[in-house]
């Protein structure tokens, strides 16, 4: 990396000191003028109707500005298709908003909630995706909810597939290629089964926040703790027929779950409209854990055929995608999940797999990292291990044979096929397997790598790939002042260091100290359009747009300097805010002489996205299982990828490590949402009962990172892997657990102690024998 000044070097984040000292501003720290506090009354029942509601006492309380119920809420809807209303008389989950209050402070708002009198009529709920589609199951959405889509609404409680929202492509909810029956006939081994990956909580430490205030009937200002400000404003603006400006300061963590913020933004904007004041809705941690959007709830019921030499021949199945009582962007997750499975099992010629988006009386689901592929592959690839066991082939060898290679065609979220012409991960398989000592540790299917007393150890492997790293259009511009470089792009700071990478790219191209580069605060008023920091795409797309903008600004700077210096722009170069002749650096001008006070030079950049640059992360794990208690622990993990050029080495390492928890790898054995089926309420509603990994229980963790410098739109040949670092982890963990316990089968995530003891025959009726 010696040829670069900033790229690939460890640099202090420009916002780092403010974050660790508490000076950084988050949404709830913003001094929003004349802002009222919003509080929400939530349904105590999983399925009910409001018989009557009386808000008169709450409205009379001093300090209350207004109350919103289904009676006066705007008739807006969110989701794909637009189905979830602002408020409804028909309540669909424990936590569904019944009323919202705007008051001068939180205490008054909470008092007002207690003065609202509601009479409910309880209705029978349904929670399980298989139960929800049975004839006679309780209807979560009725005919009057008007969410039918002609030709696609095929079963009770199934939402129509819906198009990926930004295009005109038909819905992509199934892959049907080749002849699966012929493929099964050509297979040496055929396995069938059902695997479930239950919903989890991809909860950031900081709870979601939205504030909203209307300037007039067609313009509304929003402040949101979102990683994608354009994802907040553009779909909702289309829905409500108004122009929305979004400001995003520091977000904290997101893990994809605070991207669009679709429903709570709609709720807050609606309350602001009803009351006529600016309001802010900061979810409490209890609300965050009890009512906020979850990861998808899934079951895969399938059939897979392979040959003795490890070639996959056919894959057939139903993917039941539980979206709870509302879908933020579930159809998009379905589309990407199918594409990600197709990349992983790319050599399979015969496919018949169909997804069904199923609503229930669980908490609504939303965007989460792994975005559909983590959920589907955790199920489908685990079923595949049943076939690999029969041919006695280890998973690393199998996936290397069947994974998408350079030039192979794969489906992606539009339903079309794409081809990655250059990027190949074969070498990464070999380097990572050697570093983890995979072939020394692997003893065969259902065979522990070692046993020490009552502790058995097993190893597992899986991988994940996405077609999004260079997806969708991204715009940026760079502004040169006499002593500063200003970068404008809609990239929020949500923990991953992406803004540092963009500052480095601008600083490298303009050859200035990093402290002379400022990334503008994320604000749709001043930043150009960008799909947002999702899908591991900003390394290429925002990096490419900022790189092009910096190059354009640099060229203009040299052209204007050339006029003053009596030469051509090609004769000049720039370093440290000075422009000089290449043949005689003593002939020079400072930037302030070219770009004086009250003068700017700007450059624009754009990346027009494609789906031809798939990334890949491989997860190797070793687990320890206590054969007496059933407790499983990850003892060793290695994550691997070829990332092209490394931009931020320290942040890259931390991104790999961050794949462990928060609905990542730990959903294989640890993180679990527990629902009481009698009252319909989540019981794991605090940071103790929801089994997070504390810092003092981090396993040994290593990486194998290759740096091939791929030909991407990033000016230095990088490819992003941020979203997918832990997506393959659950499948690797469950594989390792089954190997540790001698091959006993577990077909539901997470593999908690009760499931492990059940598999070992040591538990009956929930009691250890």
């Amino acid at each position: 990396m010696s040829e670069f000044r900033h790229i690939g070097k460890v640099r202090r984040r420009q916002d780092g000191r403010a974050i660790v000292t508490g000076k950084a501003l988050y949404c709830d720290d913003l001094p929003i003028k004349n802002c009222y506090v919003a509080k929400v009354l939530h349904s105590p029942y999983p399925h009910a109707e409001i018989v009557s509601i009386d808000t008169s006492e709450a409205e009379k309380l001093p300090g209350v500005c207004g109350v919103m119920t289904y009676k006066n809420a705007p008739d807006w809807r969110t989701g794909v298709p637009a189905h979830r209303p602002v408020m409804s008389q028909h309540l669909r989950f424990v936590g569904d908003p019944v009323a919202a209050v705007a008051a001068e402070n939180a205490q008054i708002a909470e008092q007002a909630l207690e003065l609202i009198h509601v009479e409910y009529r309880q209705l029978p709920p349904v929670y399980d995706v298989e139960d929800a589609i049975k004839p006679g199951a309780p209807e979560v959405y009725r005919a009057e909810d008007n969410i039918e889509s002609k030709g696609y609404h095929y079963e009770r409680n199934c939402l129509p597939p819906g198009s990926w929202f930004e295009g005109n492509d038909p819905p992509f909810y199934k892959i049907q290629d080749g002849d699966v029956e012929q493929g099964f006939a050509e297979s040496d081994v055929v396995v069938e089964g059902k695997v479930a990956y239950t919903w989890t909580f991809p909860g950031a430490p900081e709870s979601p926040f939205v504030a909203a205030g209307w300037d007039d009937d067609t313009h509304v200002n929003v402040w949101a703790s979102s990683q994608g400000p354009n994802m907040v404003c553009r779909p909702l603006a289309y829905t409500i027929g108004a122009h929305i400006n979004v400001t995003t300061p520091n977000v904290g963590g997101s893990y994809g779950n605070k991207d669009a913020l679709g429903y709570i933004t709609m709720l807050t904007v609606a309350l602001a409209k009803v009351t006529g004041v600016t309001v802010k809705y900061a979810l409490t941690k209890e609300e965050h854990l009890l009512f906020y959007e979850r990861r998808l709830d899934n079951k895969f019921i399938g059939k897979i055929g392979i040959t003795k030499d490890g070639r996959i021949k056919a894959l057939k199945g139903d993917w039941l995608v539980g979206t709870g009582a509302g879908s933020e962007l579930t159809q998009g997750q379905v589309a990407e999940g199918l594409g990600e499975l197709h990349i992983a099992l790319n050599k399979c010629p015969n496919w018949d797999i169909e997804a069904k988006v199923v609503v229930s009386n669980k908490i609504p689901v939303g965007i989460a990292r792994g975005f559909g592929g983590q959920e589907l592959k955790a199920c489908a690839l685990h079923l595949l291990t049943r076939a690999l066991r029969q041919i006695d082939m280890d998973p690393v060898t199998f996936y290397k044979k069947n994974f998408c290679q350079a030039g192979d065609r794969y489906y992606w979220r539009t339903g079309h096929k794409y081809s990655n012409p250059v990027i190949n991960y074969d070498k990464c398989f070999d380097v990572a397997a050697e570093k983890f000592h995979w072939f020394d540790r692997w003893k065969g299917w259902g065979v522990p790598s070692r046993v020490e007393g009552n502790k058995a150890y097993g190893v597992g492997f899986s991988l994940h790939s996405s077609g999004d790293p260079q997806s969708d259009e991204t715009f940026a511009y760079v502004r040169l002042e006499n002593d500063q470089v200003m970068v404008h792009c809609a990239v929020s700071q949500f923990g991953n260091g992406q803004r540092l990478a963009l500052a480095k790219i601008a600083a490298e191209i303009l050859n200035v100290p990093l402290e002379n580069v400022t990334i503008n605060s994320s604000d749709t008023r001043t930043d150009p359009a960008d799909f947002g920091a999702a899908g591991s795409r900003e390394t290429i797309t925002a990096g490419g747009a900022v790189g092009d903008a910096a190059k354009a600004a640099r060229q203009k700077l040299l052209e204007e300097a050339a006029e003053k210096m009596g030469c051509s722009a090609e004769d000049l170069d720039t370093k440290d805010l000075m422009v000089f002749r290449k043949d005689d650096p003593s002939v020079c001008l400072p930037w302030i002489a070219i770009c004086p006070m009250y003068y700017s030079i700007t450059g624009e950049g754009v990346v027009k996205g494609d789906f031809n640059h798939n990334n890949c992360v491989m997860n190797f794990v070793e687990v320890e299982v206590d054969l007496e208690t059933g407790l499983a622990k990850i003892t060793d993990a290695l994550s691997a990828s070829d990332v092209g050029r490394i931009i931020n080495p320290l942040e890259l390492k931390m991104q790999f490590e961050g794949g462990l928890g928060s609905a990542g790898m730990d959903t294989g054995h640890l993180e679990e949402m527990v629902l009481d089926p009698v009252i319909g309420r989540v019981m794991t509603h605090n940071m103790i009962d929801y089994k997070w990994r504390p810092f003092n229980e981090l396993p040994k963790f290593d990486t194998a990172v290759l740096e091939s410098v791929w030909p991407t739109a990033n000016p230095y040949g990088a490819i992003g892997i941020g979203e997918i670092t832990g997506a393959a982890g659950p499948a690797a963990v469950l594989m390792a657990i089954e190997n540790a316990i001698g091959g006993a089968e577990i077909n539901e995530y997470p593999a908690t102690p009760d499931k492990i003891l059940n598999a070992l025959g040591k538990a009956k009726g929930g009691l250890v024998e």
Side-chain angles (χ1 to χ4, degrees):
M1 292 298 180
S2 57
E3 69 269 33
F4 296 115
R5 181 172 181 177
H6 303 292
I7 301 300
K9 308 294 175 64
V10 174
R11 293 286 184 264
R12 177 182 290 176
R13 280 173 50 168
Q14 293 158 306
D15 57 355
R17 187 178 295 276
I19 289 173
V20 299
T21 59
K23 294 180 179 179
L25 290 178
Y26 295 78
C27 273
D28 209 13
D29 299 320
L30 296 178
I32 304 171
K33 190 175 181 181
N34 298 326
C35 190
Y36 286 70
V37 174
K39 290 290 180 181
V40 174
L41 180 66
H42 300 277
S43 171
Y45 302 115
H47 200 191
E49 282 188 344
I50 299 173
V51 176
S52 65
I53 183 167
D54 182 356
T55 62
S56 57
E57 290 184 39
E59 292 168 358
K60 294 174 185 176
L61 186 69
V64 169
C65 179
V67 180
M68 181 175 69
T69 70
Y70 75 91
K71 295 181 178 181
N72 61 344
D75 186 20
W76 302 335
R77 293 169 188 264
T78 188
V80 179
H83 63 284
R84 189 178 176 193
V86 176
M87 285 185 173
S88 175
Q89 188 176 7
H90 182 187
L91 304 171
R92 298 176 174 88
F93 67 100
V94 171
D96 209 352
V98 173
V101 171
E104 291 177 356
N105 57 51
Q107 292 75 21
I108 295 173
E110 287 168 355
Q111 277 183 271
L113 294 183
E114 295 177 2
L115 297 175
I116 297 173
H117 303 290
V118 189
E119 181 185 351
Y120 302 94
R121 182 171 71 89
Q122 294 190 57
L123 302 171
V126 62
Y127 307 116
D128 182 80
V129 286
E130 288 183 90
D131 291 339
I133 60 177
K134 291 177 180 176
E139 285 187 289
V140 180
Y141 286 88
R142 302 162 178 164
E144 62 265 25
D145 293 311
N146 193 28
I147 59 168
E148 299 280 338
S149 180
K150 190 174 291 185
Y152 292 120
H153 192 80
Y154 35 68
E155 286 186 67
R156 176 168 292 228
N157 288 328
C158 283
L159 290 183
S163 296
W164 181 256
F165 68 86
E166 83 276 14
N168 296 316
D169 292 295
F172 180 43
Y173 64 99
K174 61 183 177 181
I175 301 177
Q176 292 178 326
D177 263 356
D179 183 337
V180 291
E181 297 309 321
Q182 181 65 31
F184 290 131
E186 295 170 356
S187 300
D188 297 308
V189 172
V190 177
V191 296
E192 297 184 64
K194 176 167 61 178
V195 182
Y197 182 93
T198 58
W199 59 342
T200 53
F201 175 61
E206 302 84 3
S207 299
F209 175 104
V210 176
W214 291 77
D215 285 340
D216 53 47
D217 288 342
T218 58
H219 292 80
V220 58
N221 300 309
V222 168
W223 297 261
S225 59
S226 167
Q227 70 184 64
N230 281 291
M231 282 288 284
V232 173
C233 67
R234 296 193 178 220
L236 182 59
Y238 180 79
T239 297
I240 69 176
H243 182 79
I244 301 176
N245 294 312
V246 176
T247 301
T248 301
N250 287 283
V251 174
S254 175
Y255 319 127
N257 204 220
K258 290 177 355 195
D259 190 356
L261 295 173
Y263 176 74
I264 67 165
T265 303
M266 182 176 70
L267 176 74
T268 309
V269 170
L271 183 60
K273 189 173 187 67
V274 167
T275 59
V277 298
T278 300
V279 296
K280 64 176 182 179
Y281 181 30
L283 272 69
T284 65
K285 199 63 192 177
E286 183 181 32
E287 287 179 302
H288 192 195
L289 282 153
L290 277 173
F291 312 132
Y292 189 65
E293 296 160 355
R294 301 299 193 262
R295 180 182 284 287
L296 299 178
D297 194 20
N298 304 261
K299 287 186 182 179
F300 179 73
I301 305 167
K303 183 177 180 181
I304 301 174
I306 64 174
T307 60
K308 290 178 181 177
D309 63 347
R311 300 290 178 182
I312 185 163
K313 298 295 292 184
L315 192 155
K316 181 178 182 179
D318 287 324
W319 179 23
L320 302 183
V321 184
T323 196
S327 155
E328 174 84 271
L329 199 57
T330 302
Q331 286 80 357
Q333 291 166 291
V334 165
E336 297 219 356
L338 292 171
E340 287 165 351
L341 186 64
H342 197 261
I343 293 173
L345 302 178
N346 188 257
K347 300 301 190 291
C348 180
N350 304 299
W351 291 73
D352 185 5
I353 180 171
E354 182 173 352
K356 299 176 182 179
V357 176
V358 183
V359 290
S360 71
N361 296 112
K362 284 185 172 181
I363 299 166
V365 305
I367 299 170
R369 62 177 180 175
F371 202 70
Q374 176 170 326
E375 296 88 342
L376 175 58
K377 290 202 289 187
C379 296
L381 299 188
H382 189 62
L383 179 60
L384 176 64
T385 65
R386 311 296 182 231
L388 296 183
R389 184 182 303 187
Q390 293 188 42
I391 66 169
D392 195 27
M393 178 176 286
D394 78 280
V396 174
T397 302
F398 172 84
Y399 284 114
K400 187 178 177 183
K401 279 189 174 187
N402 289 279
F403 186 71
C404 180
Q405 296 174 316
D408 289 339
R409 289 170 60 77
Y410 54 85
Y411 280 108
W412 197 238
R413 54 174 150 101
T414 61
H416 302 298
K417 282 187 175 179
Y418 300 87
S419 176
N420 183 340
V422 177
I423 301 174
N424 198 312
Y425 293 97
D426 277 359
K427 186 178 179 182
C428 191
F429 278 95
D430 298 334
V431 170
E434 181 178 358
K435 190 168 185 180
F436 189 73
H437 305 291
W438 171 260
F439 292 104
D440 294 328
R441 292 176 166 187
W442 177 261
K443 307 300 181 185
W445 290 99
V447 181
S449 54
R450 68 184 192 280
V451 178
E452 298 174 356
N454 67 324
K455 305 288 176 62
Y457 298 80
V459 292
F461 168 83
S462 194
L463 81 176
H464 192 88
S465 181
S466 166
D468 267 349
Q470 193 163 301
S471 68
D472 302 287
E473 287 66 38
T474 298
F475 299 82
Y477 67 91
V478 168
R479 189 174 87 239
L480 307 186
E481 309 291 354
N482 55 77
D483 63 347
Q484 189 71 200
V485 177
M486 299 293 297
V487 177
H488 293 260
C489 56
V491 177
S492 304
Q493 185 56 271
F494 59 104
N496 60 352
Q498 191 65 259
R499 287 164 65 88
L500 172 64
L502 300 178
K504 280 183 173 182
I505 288 170
E508 191 74 45
I509 290 170
L510 292 160
N511 205 0
V512 298
L514 193 61
E515 54 265 28
N516 289 103
V517 178
T518 299
I519 306 288
N520 191 51
S521 297
S522 186
D523 193 322
T524 60
R525 294 172 185 81
T526 55
D527 292 330
D530 182 355
F531 181 77
S536 304
R537 60 181 293 280
E538 293 286 30
T539 295
I540 295 181
T541 58
V546 168
D548 286 350
K551 290 174 185 176
R554 180 182 182 276
Q555 181 62 28
K556 289 182 182 178
L557 174 74
L558 298 183
E559 288 172 358
E560 295 201 23
E563 293 181 10
K564 297 179 181 292
M565 299 173 72
C567 60
S568 70
E570 289 70 27
D571 297 329
L572 301 176
D573 203 349
T574 182
K575 182 179 181 181
D576 294 339
L577 307 178
M578 298 288 292
V579 175
F580 56 88
R581 288 190 62 106
K582 295 176 185 176
D583 58 356
D584 184 2
S586 65
V587 180
C588 58
L589 281 177
W591 279 18
I592 194 168
I594 308 157
C595 186
M597 196 173 296
Y598 312 122
Y599 191 88
S600 294
I601 293 174
T602 60
E604 298 178 359
V606 60
V607 169
K608 294 188 175 181
D610 63 50
F611 301 122
N612 299 318
H613 295 77
N614 68 290
N615 56 6
C616 180
V617 168
M618 304 174 190
N619 291 147
F620 295 77
V621 298
E622 177 192 70
V623 301
E624 169 197 281
V625 179
D626 188 315
L627 300 176
E628 293 181 358
T629 66
L631 181 64
K633 296 180 179 180
I634 298 174
T635 53
D636 192 7
L638 180 140
S639 288
S641 185
D642 190 324
V643 300
R645 180 86 67 186
I646 295 174
I647 306 293
N648 289 340
L650 185 59
E651 284 74 15
L652 175 65
K653 178 177 181 292
M654 294 170 68
Q655 192 70 52
F656 276 116
E657 293 167 349
L660 276 168
S662 294
M665 188 181 294
D666 281 346
T667 59
H669 69 300
L670 195 62
E671 296 182 26
E672 181 182 28
M673 299 300 305
V674 177
L675 182 83
D676 184 323
V678 176
I679 62 174
R681 182 181 171 123
V682 169
M683 306 308 292
T684 46
H685 53 77
N686 57 60
M687 304 294 286
I688 296 175
D689 292 334
Y690 187 78
K691 300 302 180 185
W692 293 71
R693 176 185 297 280
F695 287 108
N696 62 349
E697 292 185 7
L698 292 173
K700 177 186 175 185
F701 192 95
D702 203 355
T703 58
V705 182
L706 279 66
E707 195 174 8
S708 295
V709 188
W710 300 117
T712 71
N714 181 285
Y716 299 101
I719 189 167
I721 51 90
E723 178 190 15
I724 67 171
T725 53
V733 168
L734 193 51
M735 181 191 298
I737 289 171
E738 286 195 346
N739 288 332
I741 63 176
E745 292 190 2
I746 301 172
N747 291 309
E748 183 178 354
Y749 294 85
T752 47
D754 58 319
K755 297 187 183 78
I756 292 173
L757 291 174
N758 261 314
L760 290 171
K762 294 184 176 182
K764 186 175 182 181
L767 298 175
V768 178
E769 293 185 331

